[in-house]
Amino acid sequence: MNDEMNDDLQRYATLLHRAAALWRARLDARLRPWGMTQATWRTLWLLRSEASDVTQSELAARLGVETPTLVGIIDRMEAKGLLRRTPDREDRRRKRIAITDAGLRLAREIEGEVVAVREEMLGDFDAEALRAGIRQLERIVGKAGGEGAPAEG
């Protein structure tokens, strides 16, 4: 690989990381009036999309975070009444997480803010540029061992 290709790879990786960080910061700012962040929104979104409750470890895997990181998010969201944590019937050491009615109401209330950020960031892309970007990101996610659709946000 030549130096120019290495430079381009470095620049692409840096821009990818920077874009994700800026997206998260913009979404955090939009959700601040509700006491929410991108991390809490993604948790609500995923739980809202589930047909039933999930274990903490399943939720962490779907969000792409470590279980210990998720525990603090769950603690804060449970204290706000947005989700509930219950012992698993088969293994009481394992906790199951489900969204509450209050969490569903909040998710519906702030979904417009998430859509607005998406429009701000991507709304002027033409269809082919958007599809090309999707293909690139799917390849990156696949090479990294990720699977399935990401949690919204």
Side-chain angles (χ1 to χ4, degrees):
M1 188 175 306
N2 64 34
D3 287 344
E4 186 176 344
M5 183 65 167
N6 277 331
D7 290 346
D8 287 345
L9 288 173
Q10 175 63 41
R11 184 167 184 220
Y12 189 90
T14 299
L15 286 169
L16 186 62
H17 178 76
R18 182 78 176 131
L22 289 168
W23 190 299
R24 185 173 39 256
R26 181 162 297 185
L27 192 53
D28 284 352
R30 290 291 286 260
L31 299 179
R32 192 170 295 123
W34 290 271
M36 300 290 288
T37 64
Q38 184 245 12
T40 53
W41 163 253
R42 289 180 65 229
T43 303
L44 271 186
W45 177 266
L46 197 140
L47 289 170
R48 186 177 89 165
S49 303
E50 292 297 315
S52 63
D53 57 359
V54 296
T55 66
Q56 281 184 191
S57 57
E58 290 168 340
L59 184 58
R62 291 180 187 159
L63 290 169
V65 299
E66 297 292 324
T67 302
T69 301
L70 183 61
V71 169
I73 294 169
I74 291 171
D75 287 345
R76 289 187 297 279
M77 293 177 73
E78 188 175 35
K80 291 180 177 185
L82 303 175
L83 54 80
R84 70 179 167 280
R85 181 174 15 201
T86 57
D88 187 276
R89 288 182 197 97
E90 297 172 14
D91 182 350
R92 295 189 60 78
R93 295 170 297 176
R94 198 171 24 189
K95 302 297 180 206
R96 301 199 70 81
I97 311 299
I99 194 167
T100 63
D101 288 343
L104 286 170
R105 283 191 302 276
L106 181 60
R108 283 191 296 270
E109 184 179 336
I110 64 177
E111 185 172 6
E113 298 299 324
V114 175
V115 170
V117 169
R118 186 183 318 136
E119 284 294 319
E120 289 169 12
M121 303 293 277
L122 302 174
D124 63 346
F125 282 40
D126 67 60
E128 185 49 41
L130 190 57
R131 284 191 288 275
I134 290 168
R135 287 190 300 272
Q136 288 180 339
L137 293 172
E138 286 175 340
R139 285 184 65 196
I140 292 168
V141 169
K143 287 181 178 189
E147 53 188 72
E152 184 76 14

